[in-house]
């Protein structure tokens, strides 16, 4: 599970900084490549000793227990490659933490340990540890982003695409996530149970878990009913049909004797199916489901689907075969249909997490997810299909799904949501006015005419006030949302172009836009030449400040100096045309109002957005509708981060609540019907292993020797590089400093001693 969380973390970080080399690699692959005497190839993965850049990398080891064999062995092995090793564990005092603290024994505070503070979790199905690790990685992600963006040179080298405003939105959603999780689990942050009126989401999740638990237990209950029937009828000598026939006096006739026995034999043969049908009728469940073992398919983004699959499969690892469960998972936006829809039968159970399609950046993703669920639910046999449940923030229920569990959104609206909400409010207002006008035409002497009606402006203002408290009254499906956002963007393009809707005018608009951009570059080039008084092709800081203050004397010199330093990526003390072009495209006001990412104590920390809705500062007093859609496109990356770091966590926790209720219901059934004789623990598996002792398929016997070899190879490479640099300096006639010469000689002597002792020791061993 830790690997899946790390993969999502690396994926988000790579999107923010595309120029960085980031990889999420399993500890077993690292041990196979670098920790074996005979290297084990990673077939199917682009990893090898030559393809991986292991020159002093920054390493983050993610391990909840901090004692799993693979990560623990890697913490030793990677010390030969890097001095920047960190770990994410459940507490400060772990085996990996001990290894890292030994690297920095001179400074206790340099332990390089990030702790989730959840402590030891002995249960093998992991839920709390997964949520805590994902949350801690989100905090680390924000700190890395704000640190890189805080330095213009780091920002340029990494190709940063994330903005401070994106981080503000993510931090606000991250803080509001606590309230959302409280509604899901039914317990507040202090451990107190929430009132039933507030825990509606939790009750719906547990009700869904109870329903699926009844699906699983129906075979066990039918078996018990069959046992009781067989024992009672055989012992008494009166099967059901025979007893009824005797009561009506039909047993004396020889002609009825064989018919009665034949009907009793059919009842014995079909008794399990008859009992299951009786149970389903009594409980009000679907009668068309197959009367066999159940299969649960989980669909969501990779880390959620895989983690939820591991959680549910471990819960039922020790269950009895009569109440067993098969668990599968897949990505509904990718391979769920290809891998699992051919296995769909009557009674298959499908739970799918839906991204928040109310956000335009996620609308297509939700549409793909809904299409996968509809395809799976449309596979029918004898009028029955799979039982699908969707979990998400959109209230729209799929027509073919069994149930849709709605998760409350405690975050502010994004700008695009606000635009669509206002449009829905206007449409509802127009519809109500049309209905009111029809009533007025039918009634000539209505009370509104006798006593006067409020004006249209008053009714509009009143309705908008009401709509603010009822934003969720208009429920849109994923297809409706996609159509609405596409129409809004088309209207925005048409308004910018100020042309009709013909295709030729769209092409002419694109050409006109390119011409305007070219003209803008030419104008910037002319301004650049005017500022460059000496004509040397670059602008100095004095020329830059003088030109801007000549245009606006109110701009402070300190601010211009900061602006110049931020634009001077190459640190040459001057700006070339490309650097000046970036400055000319950045408004001075935005640079002045740059986000302050430090708290009152001066510590680096992302400050949450304080906007009433995300994009409020961008929109201001712009008109309703189309003009704001261009502004909302700048929030698409914020929406993606919200989905991967916050919304996905809410869906995972929702699935664990549902699955836990499902497993607990099945687990508690067997002790009840056996008076405590039969039973099992759903927090254990047959492997009888805690997380801390998870087995590794790769041996670590050669790690210690490989550590010495790799460390020696690294020292030799450094010595060769130092010798090469020294030779170049000597050849060019440069004189080395005495200190540098002494250091080089000492390093060379130490390396030669290590080489000699290593090979002497190996010769002795042979």
């Amino acid at each position: 599970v830790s690997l899946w969380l790390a993969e999502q973390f690396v994926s988000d970080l790579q999107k923010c900084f595309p120029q960085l080399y980031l990889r999420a690699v399993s500890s077993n692959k690292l041990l196979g490549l670098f920790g074996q005497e005979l290297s084990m190839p990673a077939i199917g993965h682009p990893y090898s000793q030559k393809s991986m850049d292991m020159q002093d990398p920054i390493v983050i080891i993610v391990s909840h227990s901090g004692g799993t064999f693979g990560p623990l062995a890697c913490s030793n092995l990677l010390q030969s490659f890097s001095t920047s090793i960190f770990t994410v564990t459940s507490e400060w005092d772990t085996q990996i933490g001990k290894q890292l603290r030994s690297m920095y024994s001179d400074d206790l505070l340099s332990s390089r340990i990030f702790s989730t503070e959840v402590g030891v979790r002995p249960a093998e199905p992991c839920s709390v540890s997964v949520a805590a690790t994902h949350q801690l990685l989100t905090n680390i992600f924000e700190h890395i982003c704000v640190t890189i963006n805080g330095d213009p040179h780091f920002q340029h080298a990494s190709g940063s695409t994330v903005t401070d405003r994106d981080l503000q939105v993510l931090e606000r959603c991250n803080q509001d996530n606590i309230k959302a999780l409280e509604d899901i689990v039914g317990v507040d942050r202090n451990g107190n149970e929430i009132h039933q009126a507030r825990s509606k989401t939790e009750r719906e999740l547990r009700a869904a878990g109870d329903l699926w638990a009844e699906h699983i237990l129906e075979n066990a209950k039918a078996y018990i009913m069959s046992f009781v029937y067989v024992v009672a009828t055989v012992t008494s000598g009166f099967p059901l049909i025979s007893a009824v026939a005797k009561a009506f006096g039909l047993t004396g006739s020889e002609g009825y004797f064989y018919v009665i026995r034949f009907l009793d034999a059919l009842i014995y043969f079909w008794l399990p199916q008859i009992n299951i049908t009786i149970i389903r009728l009594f409980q009000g469940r679907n009668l068309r489901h197959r009367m066999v073992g159940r299969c649960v398919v989980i669909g969501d983004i990779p880390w959620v689907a895989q983690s939820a699959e591991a959680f549910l499969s471990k819960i039922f690892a020790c269950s009895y075969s009569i109440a067993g469960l098969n668990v599968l998972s897949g990505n509904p936006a990718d391979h769920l249909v290809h891998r699992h829809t051919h296995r769909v039968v009557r009674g298959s159970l499908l739970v799918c997490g839906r991204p928040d399609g109310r956000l335009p950046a996620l609308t297509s993703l939700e549409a793909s997810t809904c299409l996968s669920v509809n395809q799976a639910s449309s596979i029918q046999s004898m009028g029955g299909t799979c039982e699908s449940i969707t979990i998400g923030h959109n209230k729209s229920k799929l027509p073919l799904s069994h149930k849709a569990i709605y998760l409350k959104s405690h975050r502010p609206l994004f700008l695009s949501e606000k635009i669509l909400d206002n449009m829905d409010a206007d449409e509802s207002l127009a519809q109500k006015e049309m209905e009111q006008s029809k009533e007025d035409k039918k009634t000539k002497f209505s009370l509104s005419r006798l006593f006067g009606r409020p004006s249209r402006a008053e009714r509009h203002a009143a309705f908008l006030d009401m709509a603010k408290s009822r934003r969720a009254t208009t429920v849109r499906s994923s297809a409706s949302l996609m159509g609405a956002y596409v129409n809004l963007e088309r209207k925005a393009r048409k308004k910018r172009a100020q042309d009709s809707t013909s295709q030729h005018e769209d092409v002419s608009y694109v050409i006109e836009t390119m011409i305007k951009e070219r003209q803008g570059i030419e104008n910037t080039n002319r301004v650049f030449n005017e500022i460059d008084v000496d004509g040397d092709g670059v602008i100095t800081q004095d020329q830059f400040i003088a030109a801007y203050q000549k245009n606006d004397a109110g701009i402070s010199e300190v601010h211009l100096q900061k602006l110049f330093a931020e634009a001077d990526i190459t640190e040459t003390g001057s700006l070339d045309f490309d650097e000046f072009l970036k400055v000319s495209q950045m408004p001075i006001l935005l640079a002045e109002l740059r986000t302050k990412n430090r708290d009152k104590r001066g510590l680096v920390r992302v400050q949450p957005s304080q906007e009433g809705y995300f994009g409020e500062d961008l929109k201001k007093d712009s008109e309703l509708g189309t003009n704001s859609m261009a502004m909302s496109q700048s929030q698409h990356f914020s929406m993606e981060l919200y989905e991967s770091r916050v919304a996905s966590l809410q869906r995972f926790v929702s699935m664990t609540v549902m699955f836990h209720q499902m497993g607990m219901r099945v687990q508690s059934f067997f002790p009840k019907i056996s008076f405590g004789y039969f039973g099992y623990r759903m927090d254990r598996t047959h492997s009888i292993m805690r997380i801390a002792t998870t087995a590794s398929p790769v041996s670590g016997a050669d790690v210690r020797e490989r550590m010495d070899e790799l460390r020696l190879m690294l020292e030799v490479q450094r010595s060769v590089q130092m010798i090469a640099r020294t030779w170049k300096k000597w050849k060019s006639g440069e004189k080395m400093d005495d200190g540098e010469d002494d250091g080089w000689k000492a390093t060379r002597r130490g390396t030669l001693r290590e080489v000699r002792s290593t090979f002497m020791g190996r010769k002795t061993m042979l």
Side-chain angles (χ1 to χ4, degrees):
V1 176
S2 299
L3 174 63
W4 303 326
L5 295 175
E7 287 175 345
Q8 183 62 56
F9 171 77
V10 168
S11 173
D12 296 333
L13 207 59
Q14 188 73 75
K15 291 180 181 178
C16 295
F17 309 106
Q19 299 299 325
L20 295 183
Y21 180 84
L22 300 169
R23 294 292 182 272
V25 186
S26 169
S27 58
N28 294 324
K29 290 186 179 63
L30 288 178
L31 289 178
L33 288 174
F34 300 101
Q36 304 294 306
E37 194 70 33
L38 296 176
S39 177
M40 184 179 72
I43 305 298
H45 299 274
Y47 304 131
S48 66
Q49 292 183 351
K50 295 181 179 180
S51 64
M52 296 188 66
D53 185 7
M54 301 297 289
Q55 296 294 326
D56 197 19
I58 299 176
V59 181
I60 300 179
I61 301 175
V62 183
S63 173
H64 165 72
S65 65
T68 308
F69 176 80
L72 181 60
C74 283
S75 67
N76 292 325
L77 178 66
L78 293 175
Q79 293 180 22
S80 304
F81 295 102
S82 174
T83 57
S84 302
I85 304 177
F86 303 84
T87 183
V88 175
T89 60
S90 60
E91 54 186 352
W92 186 76
D93 189 14
T94 59
Q95 291 296 322
I96 296 180
K98 180 180 178 182
Q99 293 291 339
L100 297 185
R101 285 195 298 272
S102 64
M103 297 175 58
Y104 311 98
S105 57
D106 56 337
D107 188 1
L108 183 63
L109 298 179
S110 299
S111 57
R112 311 295 180 94
I113 301 171
F114 298 102
S115 174
T116 60
E117 300 295 341
V118 299
V120 178
R121 316 297 298 186
E124 293 187 59
C126 47
S127 56
V128 177
S129 60
V130 176
T133 303
H134 183 79
Q135 176 59 40
L136 181 56
L137 289 176
T138 299
N139 296 337
I140 296 175
F141 169 82
E142 289 183 351
H143 185 80
I144 292 175
C145 291
V146 72
T147 302
I148 293 178
N149 283 352
D151 191 311
H153 308 292
F154 292 165
Q155 190 175 9
H156 175 73
S158 62
S160 175
T161 60
V162 64
T163 64
D164 293 336
R165 193 176 298 276
D166 295 334
L167 297 177
Q168 282 185 330
V169 172
L170 177 60
E171 178 60 21
R172 174 68 181 273
C173 294
N174 190 29
Q175 294 185 5
D176 294 339
N177 188 31
I178 299 176
K179 296 180 181 179
L181 295 178
E182 288 178 346
D183 287 339
I184 294 172
V185 300
V187 179
D188 62 16
R189 67 196 70 187
N190 298 319
N192 303 318
E193 291 188 6
I194 299 177
H195 192 268
Q196 289 186 356
R198 289 189 56 196
S199 60
K200 180 181 178 182
T201 303
E202 184 233 359
R203 286 187 282 113
E204 289 184 352
L205 290 168
R206 294 194 181 278
D210 290 335
L211 176 62
W212 283 14
E214 292 299 332
H215 290 334
I216 297 172
L217 289 173
E218 66 178 7
N219 288 330
K221 293 181 179 180
Y223 180 85
I224 296 173
M225 294 173 63
S226 301
F227 172 80
V228 173
Y229 179 83
V230 171
V231 171
T233 55
V234 173
T235 303
S236 64
F238 290 99
L240 179 63
I241 303 299
S242 299
V244 173
K246 185 175 183 179
F248 285 94
L250 300 176
T251 55
S253 175
E254 185 177 353
Y256 288 108
F257 177 79
Y258 293 103
V259 175
I260 293 172
R261 293 298 178 92
F262 177 73
L263 294 177
D264 281 329
L266 290 181
I267 290 178
Y268 279 118
F269 182 79
W270 297 105
L271 187 58
Q273 288 77 12
I274 294 172
N275 289 330
I276 290 177
T277 303
I278 294 173
I279 294 173
R280 292 180 180 178
L281 286 172
F282 180 76
Q283 295 178 344
R285 295 187 290 112
N286 197 319
L287 297 177
R288 296 187 177 94
H289 287 185
R290 282 188 176 183
M291 300 177 185
V292 293
R294 299 287 179 157
C295 176
V296 175
V297 180
I298 304 171
D300 212 309
I301 64 175
W303 85 263
V304 175
Q306 292 169 321
S307 300
E309 178 194 0
F311 179 78
L312 182 58
S313 60
K314 289 182 179 180
I315 281 181
F316 283 89
C318 292
S319 65
Y320 296 107
S321 59
I322 199 170
L325 186 67
N326 186 26
V327 186
L328 305 171
S329 68
N331 186 354
D334 186 10
H335 55 258
L336 177 67
V337 173
H338 306 287
R339 292 180 59 184
H340 302 307
T341 51
H342 63 279
R343 308 179 187 180
V344 172
V345 297
R346 290 177 287 112
S348 297
L349 306 177
L350 171 64
V351 57
C352 193
R354 291 173 58 180
D356 195 351
R358 298 171 300 177
L359 307 179
L362 307 176
T363 303
S364 298
L365 182 60
E366 188 198 24
S368 300
T369 301
C370 294
L371 181 60
S372 297
V373 176
N374 287 332
Q375 287 178 344
S377 302
S378 63
I379 301 174
Q380 297 187 4
S381 174
M382 300 175 61
T385 182
C386 68
E387 186 173 294
S388 57
I389 295 178
T390 59
I391 300 176
H393 297 83
N394 192 348
K395 286 186 176 181
S396 173
K397 179 183 177 299
L398 300 181
L400 297 179
S401 65
H402 174 73
K403 188 176 184 180
I405 299 178
Y406 165 67
L407 305 180
K408 295 181 181 178
S409 297
H410 291 271
R411 58 168 177 80
L413 297 177
F414 281 86
L415 179 58
S416 54
E417 290 181 287
K418 185 69 175 176
I419 296 170
L420 197 58
D421 179 68
N422 290 341
M423 290 182 59
D424 292 338
D426 283 347
E427 291 178 1
S428 300
L429 176 62
Q431 185 176 1
K432 291 189 68 175
E433 287 183 344
M434 185 180 298
E435 294 175 356
Q436 186 67 36
S437 62
K438 291 180 180 180
E439 293 179 1
D440 291 346
K441 289 180 181 179
K442 293 180 180 179
T443 308
K444 295 181 179 180
F445 301 100
S446 61
L447 293 176
S448 60
R449 292 195 176 188
L450 291 174
F451 299 100
R453 290 179 56 190
S455 63
R456 186 179 188 280
E458 292 176 351
R459 297 199 310 273
H460 180 77
F463 185 81
L464 284 182
D465 290 339
M466 182 181 64
K468 289 181 180 179
S469 60
R470 297 172 54 193
R471 289 192 178 98
T473 53
T474 302
V475 179
R476 288 179 175 267
S477 64
S478 59
S480 176
L481 287 167
M482 182 176 293
Y485 283 131
V486 169
N487 290 335
L488 284 174
E489 292 188 0
R490 286 178 179 175
K491 291 179 181 178
R493 288 197 298 267
K494 291 177 183 178
K495 191 167 185 178
R496 288 195 301 266
Q498 295 181 351
D499 289 325
S500 62
T501 59
S502 66
Q503 182 178 1
H504 296 288
E505 290 176 347
D506 290 339
V507 175
S508 63
Y509 166 70
V510 174
I511 297 175
E512 182 181 355
T513 303
M514 296 174 63
I515 293 174
K516 288 182 178 180
E517 292 179 356
R518 182 61 186 175
Q519 291 176 348
I521 295 176
E522 292 177 354
N523 293 334
T524 304
N525 190 18
R526 184 172 61 255
V527 174
F528 178 83
N529 294 330
E530 292 178 358
I531 299 176
D532 183 19
V533 181
D534 51 7
D536 57 354
V538 294
I539 298 177
T540 63
Q541 180 174 332
D542 296 336
Q543 294 174 344
F544 180 82
I545 295 175
Y548 268 91
Q549 288 185 340
K550 181 179 180 181
N551 186 39
D552 187 359
I555 302 178
S556 64
E557 184 175 349
V558 176
H559 171 64
L560 292 175
Q561 290 176 352
K562 293 181 180 179
L563 184 63
F564 184 88
E566 184 173 347
D568 185 15
I569 302 298
T570 57
E571 295 184 341
T572 58
S574 59
L575 302 180
D576 56 16
F577 177 73
D578 293 334
E579 294 172 337
F580 179 75
L581 181 61
K582 294 181 180 180
V583 177
S584 64
Q585 295 174 350
M586 179 174 57
I588 298 296
L589 182 60
L590 292 180
E592 184 103 25
L593 299 177
R594 184 162 182 165
T595 307
K596 306 298 182 183
N597 288 317
R598 292 187 180 273
D599 57 13
K600 297 179 180 179
R601 297 173 296 174
L603 300 177
V604 175
R605 182 178 180 181
V606 179
Q607 301 300 318
S609 174
Q610 302 298 329
E611 297 173 305
Y613 60 90
F614 298 136
E616 184 178 11
D617 294 340
L618 294 175
K619 188 174 182 296
K620 295 297 182 181
D621 297 327
S622 61
E623 297 181 1
L624 178 68
T626 57
N627 282 340
S628 301
M629 285 304 297
M631 304 178 193
S632 68
Q633 292 180 356
S634 63
Q635 296 181 321
H636 282 199
F637 192 60
S638 301
M639 300 174 189
E640 292 184 26
L641 293 178
Y642 162 72
E643 160 64 19
S644 62
R645 308 309 311 174
V646 179
S648 59
L649 176 60
Q650 295 177 14
R651 296 198 301 272
F652 169 76
V653 175
S654 301
M655 290 182 184
T656 56
V657 172
M658 175 181 169
F659 295 156
H660 182 273
Q661 181 69 18
M662 180 179 167
M664 182 62 70
R665 185 76 173 264
V666 176
Q667 175 191 255
S668 60
F669 172 77
F670 293 97
K672 289 180 181 179
I673 57 101
S674 64
F675 302 100
Y677 184 78
F678 293 108
Y680 67 93
R681 294 178 59 180
M682 69 178 187
D683 62 334
R684 292 289 179 265
T685 65
H686 287 293
S687 61
I688 318 176
M689 289 185 178
R690 306 294 199 274
I691 297 175
T693 56
T694 303
S696 173
V698 182
S699 173
D702 300 331
V703 170
R704 187 174 298 277
E705 288 190 17
R706 290 293 296 167
M707 285 177 59
D708 296 334
E709 292 181 8
L710 293 172
R711 186 180 293 110
L712 177 60
M713 291 172 58
L714 186 62
E715 291 294 336
V716 170
Q717 290 178 0
R718 291 176 178 174
S719 300
V720 170
Q721 293 175 359
M722 184 177 294
I723 293 172
R725 289 195 301 268
T726 306
W727 169 255
K728 289 180 180 179
K729 288 184 178 180
W730 179 81
K731 189 176 181 180
S732 61
E734 297 181 10
K735 184 178 180 181
M736 292 190 299
D737 297 334
D738 295 337
E740 183 179 357
D741 190 16
D742 295 339
W744 174 76
K745 291 180 179 179
T747 303
R748 184 186 62 178
R749 288 194 298 269
T751 302
L752 291 176
R753 281 197 300 269
E754 289 187 9
V755 173
R756 187 182 299 110
S757 60
T758 300
F759 283 99
M760 288 294 291
R762 179 163 297 181
K763 184 177 180 180
T764 303
M765 291 172 60
L766 294 175

